Amino acid sequence: MTGPSSLSSDSAQPLLTLRSLFWLRHFAVLAQLTTMVVADRWLAYPIPWPTITYVLLLTAAFNFYTGWWLRQAAPFKGWRLYLQFGFDIAQLALVLYHTGAGQNPFVSLLLLPIALALLTGSTRLTFTVLVAAVLAYLLLLALPPPFHWHVDHEQMMAVHLYGMWINFVVTALAMAAFGLQLLRQLREHETRIRQARERALRDERLVALGTQAAQVAHQLGTPLNTLLLLADELRQPLADSERLQLLAELDKQIEHCRKWLNSLRSVRDQEDSIELPKLIQETLEQWRWYRPQAELSVELSALDGIRTKVSSSLAPALLNLFNNAFEASQRNGQCQVRITARREADQVVLSIHDAGSGFADRPDSSGAVLSSKPVIGGKAGLSGSGLGIGIHLANASIERLGGSVSWQHDAGGGTRTDIQLPLTGPAE
């Protein structure tokens, strides 16, 4: 928020300041009236009541307009704050001029609009109010008082000292109120930041859990199909040796299912961060166990020496993309998957090369064939069945870590999936 054009209708801070001005102006009118009555009755100070009455009535009318506008919930415009502060400085300068001009001990009250303008956080508004207050003070010093008080010097000094004391009390109370309000706003801001950070962490956990759930659902398909076949076989008359062999295979497939289901429970217990090379190696080992038929070629020498840590939620995302590449190769009658890594400035690019038929076998959810241009975070990485939630969750997990995923034709045929991950720490 730097000026009239940037004070938008959804800015809560200027609106809060406007409400503070509204209530402070009520107090200011009452305080000014009380002070002048005391000065008139007990100090015999010559108060120009007709002029002061008009000024205070105008202030009350302007404040009622401000209150009416605040109740309308109309679109907020930045010029309203400038109008409000300008009116307050002009009103205060007018009252000060008619009650002694630059000799008035309450002239330092011109500091209050500056203090309140600081609460808006707008540099331009604060500077404008500061300049207006300084010019108003200079004008009060340059203009002679509109009257001359015929009292001796000692009485005038006594009145001035009392006025300075009252002015100090009023200014101290106002500054304390502003300080407490600013402190409360800072605490509320810190609370909102903490809540936003907690929501982001919770969302990251949910994305990791969703990605892992999609992966487990995909991986359970093979052992469940095997269990169905084994169940059919067990219904047939079998020799004891054959039955024992089928039961052993049945136990093996059940253990696979249990392992994948346990991986869902362990998501919340995973360490928050792990070194990037270690995470990639462990994920590849897990994937090799699940896809033993894959002809995997790995070149990760570019990761040597990297100590950058990443969230463990990256592992399920990588598993999804590895599977997607392998299935693309299978649809082309191949089993090759090649994984390479390279450094590019302050990021690592992990490339997954499949042996599929390229973008031709990857229609989007509407059935249209995707173009050969690189696609970032889009549908090109889907495994020919259309819109896959696993790919979208994987892409969301990587984007949450500050990275990105893109798909493009590979020079050697097939599709290359590039996973760009930032290096947030130095390589050793």
Side-chain angles (χ1 to χ4, degrees):
M1 177 169 47
T2 58
S5 61
S6 62
L7 296 172
S8 61
S9 59
D10 57 352
S11 179
Q13 186 61 47
L15 197 58
L16 179 62
T17 304
L18 195 53
R19 291 194 180 98
S20 300
L21 276 172
F22 171 73
W23 292 110
L24 182 61
R25 200 174 289 126
H26 279 307
F27 169 77
V29 171
L30 182 61
Q32 290 171 2
L33 183 60
T34 303
T35 303
M36 285 183 284
V37 167
V38 171
D40 182 45
R41 295 292 181 88
W42 281 274
L43 301 176
Y45 194 84
I47 302 295
W49 284 112
T51 303
I52 294 299
T53 301
Y54 291 144
V55 173
L56 295 182
L57 287 176
L58 178 62
T59 304
F62 184 80
N63 210 35
F64 278 119
Y65 160 74
T66 302
W68 171 83
W69 180 84
L70 287 173
R71 289 192 297 270
Q72 300 306 307
F76 184 78
K77 299 296 182 183
W79 60 266
R80 292 183 184 273
L81 266 184
Y82 286 80
L83 175 64
Q84 296 285 328
F85 280 104
F87 178 86
D88 284 333
I89 292 175
Q91 187 267 356
L92 186 56
L94 193 59
V95 170
L96 290 171
Y97 171 71
H98 285 285
T99 55
Q103 302 174 10
N104 195 312
F106 289 92
V107 72
S108 61
L109 288 176
L110 286 169
L111 290 172
L112 296 184
I114 301 174
L116 192 57
L118 284 169
L119 295 181
T120 66
S122 171
T123 303
R124 185 178 300 177
L125 176 63
T126 303
F127 181 75
T128 303
V129 174
L130 172 63
V131 171
V134 171
L135 292 177
Y137 198 168
L138 287 175
L139 189 61
L140 289 173
L141 291 175
L143 295 176
F147 61 87
H148 181 70
W149 192 22
H150 298 283
V151 294
D152 57 42
H153 181 72
E154 183 177 350
Q155 185 178 358
M156 182 178 292
M157 284 302 299
V159 172
H160 190 76
L161 290 174
Y162 280 121
M164 290 179 63
W165 178 79
I166 297 173
N167 178 46
F168 172 78
V169 172
V170 172
T171 304
L173 289 175
M175 296 298 288
F178 294 156
L180 290 175
Q181 182 179 3
L182 181 59
L183 181 61
R184 178 179 59 83
Q185 292 174 4
L186 288 175
R187 287 174 176 172
E188 290 177 353
H189 183 63
E190 292 175 354
T191 300
R192 288 194 295 268
I193 291 178
R194 184 173 62 255
Q195 291 174 347
R197 186 182 296 113
E198 291 173 355
R199 285 195 299 269
L201 291 174
R202 183 176 67 250
D203 291 345
E204 183 175 343
R205 292 287 186 182
L206 290 175
V207 169
L209 183 59
T211 306
Q212 185 73 1
Q215 180 70 19
V216 169
H218 183 79
Q219 292 163 335
L220 284 177
T222 299
L224 287 177
N225 289 332
T226 304
L227 288 173
L228 288 175
L229 294 175
L230 292 174
D232 289 339
E233 290 291 331
L234 289 172
R235 294 189 184 98
Q236 307 299 324
L238 297 172
D240 290 342
S241 60
E242 293 177 340
R243 185 177 299 276
L244 290 175
Q245 184 178 358
L246 288 177
L247 288 174
E249 182 64 24
L250 186 66
D251 289 338
K252 179 181 177 181
Q253 297 302 324
I254 291 175
E255 183 60 29
H256 288 172
C257 292
R258 183 183 293 111
K259 180 177 180 179
W260 290 118
L261 289 175
N262 286 336
S263 67
L264 278 178
R265 302 188 187 99
S266 64
V267 168
R268 71 171 65 183
D269 300 325
Q270 290 178 348
E271 55 183 323
D272 290 335
S273 60
I274 184 174
E275 289 184 2
L276 179 60
K278 181 180 179 181
L279 182 139
I280 294 176
Q281 292 289 354
E282 292 180 354
T283 305
L284 281 173
E285 291 176 4
Q286 182 181 2
W287 188 71
R288 279 194 182 102
W289 177 87
Y290 175 64
R291 296 288 193 182
Q293 69 273 35
E295 299 176 9
L296 184 62
S297 173
V298 179
E299 176 54 50
L300 301 177
S301 59
L303 300 179
D304 294 343
I306 292 179
R307 297 293 179 265
T308 299
K309 291 188 175 183
V310 294
S311 171
S312 56
S313 63
L314 178 62
L318 293 179
L319 285 172
N320 266 303
L321 295 175
F322 293 160
N323 277 328
N324 190 65
F326 177 71
E327 290 168 2
S329 297
Q330 278 191 320
R331 286 193 301 274
N332 199 34
Q334 305 291 329
C335 292
Q336 291 88 1
V337 174
R338 184 164 59 95
I339 298 174
T340 61
R342 66 182 185 274
R343 292 280 300 272
E344 290 185 358
D346 58 347
Q347 64 182 6
V348 167
V349 180
L350 186 68
S351 297
I352 307 173
H353 309 257
D354 64 49
S357 56
F359 281 33
D361 70 336
R362 293 168 183 252
D364 64 12
S365 57
S366 63
V369 176
L370 295 164
S371 68
S372 60
K373 295 181 180 180
V375 178
I376 300 176
K379 300 174 185 175
L382 302 179
S383 59
S385 58
L387 191 64
I389 188 172
I391 293 299
H392 283 284
L393 287 171
N395 188 56
S397 295
I398 293 172
E399 286 183 347
R400 189 174 296 276
L401 298 176
S404 63
V405 185
S406 63
W407 292 268
Q408 55 186 311
H409 276 296
D410 197 354
T415 302
R416 189 181 81 225
T417 303
D418 287 337
I419 306 168
Q420 297 179 344
L421 296 169
L423 290 176
T424 56
E428 297 180 353

